[in-house]
Amino acid sequence: MEKKNIDWENLGFGYAQTDMRYVSNYKNGAWDEGTLTSDSNVVINECAGVLQYAQTCFEGLKAYTTEDGRIVCFRPDLNAERMEATAQRLEMPVFPKDRFVDAVVKTVEANEAYVPPYGSGATLYIRPYMFGSSSVIGVKPAEEYQFRIFCTPVGPYFKGGVKPLTIRVSDFDRAAPHGTGHIKAGLNYAMSLHAIVDAHDQGFDENMYLDAATRTRVEETGGANFLFVTKDGKVVTPKSESILPSITRRSLMTVAKDYLGLEVEEREVFFEEVKDFTECGLCGTAAVISPVGKINDHGREICFPSGMNEMGPVTKKLYETLTGIQMGRIEAPEGWIKVIK
């Protein structure tokens, strides 16, 4: 298929409407067969559950053109499993895992002309989401739901190369114990918007959230998991029941252990030990790894030896290996790559 006439190398990370999207409706206790549609508009009642009580969740993943010309996506089965856990926590119906993956494939196939070419630095971002569509005035779950997937071509998250971030220790709490921090609910992101805008206003790139109960342990940022490297090269990530289980972070830990031969550890990370790490990164779908150069704790600065000019050596190896797997330059573990075409 001929590609769209897009300046792939200069794409930003933003929304651009593509030709088709997937829609399935839940009514009378069952999902319908689902369909592809060219209509990008969502029409719902003014009293829909999503509008009244924020009953919505979403996922994010990407499709790539590999070095040998295939179109693939990365571990969509894990996105399906995470959305299942989210739906159960929000009293929403589960969209079956096999149908989720099939809907991703159908959506990418229908928008093949928008999948950026290999080497352009761009990818096709895929956004599955679900929301309560029937009217709800009492505080209770909706009875009807809509599951949708759209996609949009995006450029690299960091234009002009990756530069280490300066983040701050936030005075706001991201998630409470036994709350919803471990699921990908829209409400989690809504409550983080003020904190990130305030951080930007103060000259910081992101927030470091500590645990709400004791404010002594590192949790995550508004949209990414933390990854640290010790002086002896061990890769450490925080463990908490209120952290979103990042697919990128889990994949990086496998890469660290099985591809780079590094020791890995998932454990509680106390903020007081952060100063002793040599590298720090934020893990997520959009950027894979965003290096952190400096953390500001209410005026006290923690500067990582890796510096403010480039990724640290271990972080860089992790980034290059995982993106190599995604782009087909490095052989992937079994089941990690879903070939679409």
Side-chain angles (χ1 to χ4, degrees):
M1 177 180 287
E2 185 177 349
K3 297 294 184 183
K4 295 290 183 179
N5 185 21
I6 295 174
D7 185 2
W8 304 106
E9 283 77 12
N10 292 304
L11 271 177
F13 196 89
Y15 171 77
Q17 186 174 312
T18 53
D19 293 340
M20 304 295 287
R21 64 273 313 134
Y22 181 91
V23 182
S24 180
N25 290 289
Y26 181 88
K27 189 174 183 179
N28 297 323
W31 290 103
D32 66 17
E33 291 184 0
T35 186
L36 291 167
T37 177
S38 60
D39 188 358
S40 62
N41 294 312
V42 177
V43 180
I44 52 177
N45 184 271
E46 63 186 351
C47 198
V50 61
L51 301 178
Q52 303 308 315
Y53 304 120
Q55 202 178 14
T56 180
C57 61
F58 69 97
E59 280 295 326
L61 63 158
K62 290 179 177 179
Y64 314 82
T65 301
T66 62
E67 191 172 29
D68 60 4
R70 296 176 300 162
I71 295 175
V72 306
C73 59
F74 186 69
R75 309 190 79 176
D77 55 316
L78 295 190
N79 292 96
E81 291 172 5
R82 191 167 63 182
M83 180 171 267
E84 177 179 347
T86 299
Q88 290 171 339
R89 178 65 175 81
L90 295 178
E91 288 297 328
M92 303 171 76
V94 169
F95 195 75
K97 178 178 175 179
D98 58 339
R99 289 195 57 189
F100 179 104
V101 175
D102 182 62
V104 168
V105 171
K106 283 184 168 66
T107 305
V108 175
E109 286 178 335
N111 294 286
E112 181 184 346
Y114 290 93
V115 181
Y118 175 79
S120 64
T123 54
L124 188 73
Y125 186 82
I126 305 163
R127 171 54 60 87
Y129 61 111
M130 188 196 306
F131 55 87
S133 55
S134 59
S135 58
V136 178
I137 197 66
V139 182
K140 60 181 181 179
E143 295 180 355
E144 298 175 8
Y145 296 83
Q146 192 167 103
F147 170 86
R148 298 176 70 101
I149 301 178
F150 70 82
C151 57
T152 183
V154 296
Y157 199 73
F158 294 106
K159 279 291 189 183
V162 178
K163 296 294 183 182
L165 308 176
T166 298
I167 66 176
R168 70 169 183 183
V169 177
S170 181
D171 289 327
F172 297 101
D173 292 327
R174 177 189 159 270
H178 312 295
T180 58
H182 63 294
I183 62 171
K184 206 164 177 66
L187 57 92
N188 291 346
Y189 296 80
M191 58 75 62
S192 74
L193 294 177
H194 174 67
I196 190 59
V197 169
D198 184 65
H200 290 166
D201 288 345
Q202 300 299 321
F204 302 103
D205 297 302
E206 253 294 359
N207 290 292
M208 170 182 274
Y209 291 104
L210 305 180
D211 74 288
T214 70
R215 298 194 61 78
T216 61
R217 295 185 293 271
V218 175
E219 293 253 301
E220 61 172 83
T221 68
N225 283 185
F226 276 101
L227 178 150
F228 299 101
V229 180
T230 65
K231 293 175 182 176
D232 58 358
K234 182 190 295 183
V235 179
V236 178
T237 61
K239 183 177 183 178
S240 166
E241 292 185 355
S242 55
I243 289 177
L244 186 73
S246 164
I247 295 165
T248 303
R249 187 259 303 165
R250 284 180 278 170
S251 302
L252 285 167
M253 295 297 274
T254 298
V255 165
K257 181 181 178 182
D258 296 346
Y259 283 71
L260 302 181
L262 300 174
E263 188 177 351
V264 300
E265 188 175 23
E266 182 183 3
R267 62 170 174 80
E268 289 186 339
V269 175
F270 288 88
F271 179 69
E272 278 306 309
E273 64 180 300
V274 169
K275 66 183 184 302
D276 299 322
F277 292 119
T278 59
E279 298 177 41
C280 173
L282 309 181
C283 314
T285 299
V288 182
I289 305 180
S290 309
V292 175
K294 187 188 303 182
I295 298 174
N296 186 296
D297 176 24
H298 302 86
R300 179 172 71 100
E301 289 190 339
I302 299 172
C303 300
F304 294 100
S306 49
M308 292 297 296
N309 295 318
E310 58 184 4
M311 279 189 174
V314 175
T315 305
K316 186 176 182 180
K317 286 180 182 177
L318 288 168
Y319 174 84
E320 290 176 345
T321 306
L322 185 57
T323 54
I325 290 170
Q326 292 171 336
M327 292 296 177
R329 296 188 297 269
I330 299 173
E331 186 175 353
E334 185 177 353
W336 277 26
I337 302 297
K338 175 68 176 178
V339 178
I340 295 174
K341 194 163 185 178

